[in-house]
Amino acid sequence: MLNENIKTIRKSKGLSQEELAIKLNVVRQTISKWEQGLSVPDADMLISIAEVLETPVSTLLGETVAEAKADDLKAISEKLEIINLQLAHRKTAKQKAIHWLFILSCTVIAAAFAILIVLGSPYLGWDYSQPETAVMGVGIHAFEWLFVRIAPLVFIGSIIGVCWTRKKV
């Protein structure tokens, strides 16, 4: 059991007998004898083997370790392919959502500018001697002032975003 486990784990780690022997500071023939069941490593060497193979000593001493079969590798590769397709789909959906968000941003800004042009700042003709209209007029003027200065930058950024996130053919 120990001999089979050492051999199976060594192979699964991609190590040759020579490479394992170098790491354990023994000769290759010693590894060969352990794997053939002709000799058994002592307790200290067993701990060293477990450290080099990155596996618990109990696994080395326990039941037979199953080798990875071609069917298992095929199943794993199929699962990885499905995961890759799901990730690609998520990335595409995210890019599409961001693209439409940029388009919506451009549309809202253009509509707001059209409304401001049509209305022509009617608050400028209000009677500011009354406190209610004065506060409301100043608030609307502040919004319009900020919008007219910031919206063009956001609009240009959104157009760049639309071009950047468009689907490449």
Side-chain angles (χ1 to χ4, degrees), residues 47-105:
I47 293 171
S48 297
I49 294 169
E51 288 174 357
V52 168
L53 295 177
E54 299 172 340
T55 187
V57 174
S58 59
T59 302
L60 290 174
L61 296 173
E63 296 180 9
T64 306
V65 177
E67 290 185 47
K69 296 179 182 162
D71 292 339
D72 294 341
L73 294 175
K74 184 178 178 184
I76 290 170
S77 67
E78 288 173 356
K79 288 179 183 178
L80 286 174
E81 186 176 342
I82 290 170
I83 290 170
N84 283 336
L85 289 173
Q86 289 172 341
L87 290 173
H89 179 70
R90 281 186 190 166
K91 182 180 177 185
T92 303
K94 184 178 177 182
Q95 182 178 2
K96 192 175 184 179
I98 291 171
H99 179 76
W100 283 105
L101 185 67
F102 282 132
I103 290 174
L104 179 67
S105 174

Side-chain angles (χ1 to χ4, degrees), residues 133-148:
T133 39
V135 170
M136 195 165 144
V138 169
I140 293 172
H141 180 69
F143 167 76
E144 186 178 86
W145 187 85
L146 275 173
F147 182 79
V148 168

Side-chain angles (χ1 to χ4, degrees), residues 16-19 21-22 26-33:
S16 66
Q17 287 183 344
E18 185 69 32
E19 292 169 328
I22 291 170
V26 295
V27 293
R28 187 201 56 78
Q29 289 77 5
T30 304
I31 304 293
S32 177
K33 286 181 182 178

Side-chain angles (χ1 to χ4, degrees), residues 108-156:
V108 168
I109 291 171
F113 265 115
I115 290 170
L116 287 175
I117 290 170
V118 168
L119 291 178
S121 304
Y123 59 86
L124 294 177
W126 290 355
D127 179 18
Y128 282 92
S129 62
Q130 297 177 352
E132 293 85 15
T133 39
V135 170
M136 195 165 144
V138 169
I140 293 172
H141 180 69
F143 167 76
E144 186 178 86
W145 187 85
L146 275 173
F147 182 79
V148 168
R149 278 149 184 81
I150 295 174
L153 299 174
V154 175
F155 186 75
I156 292 169

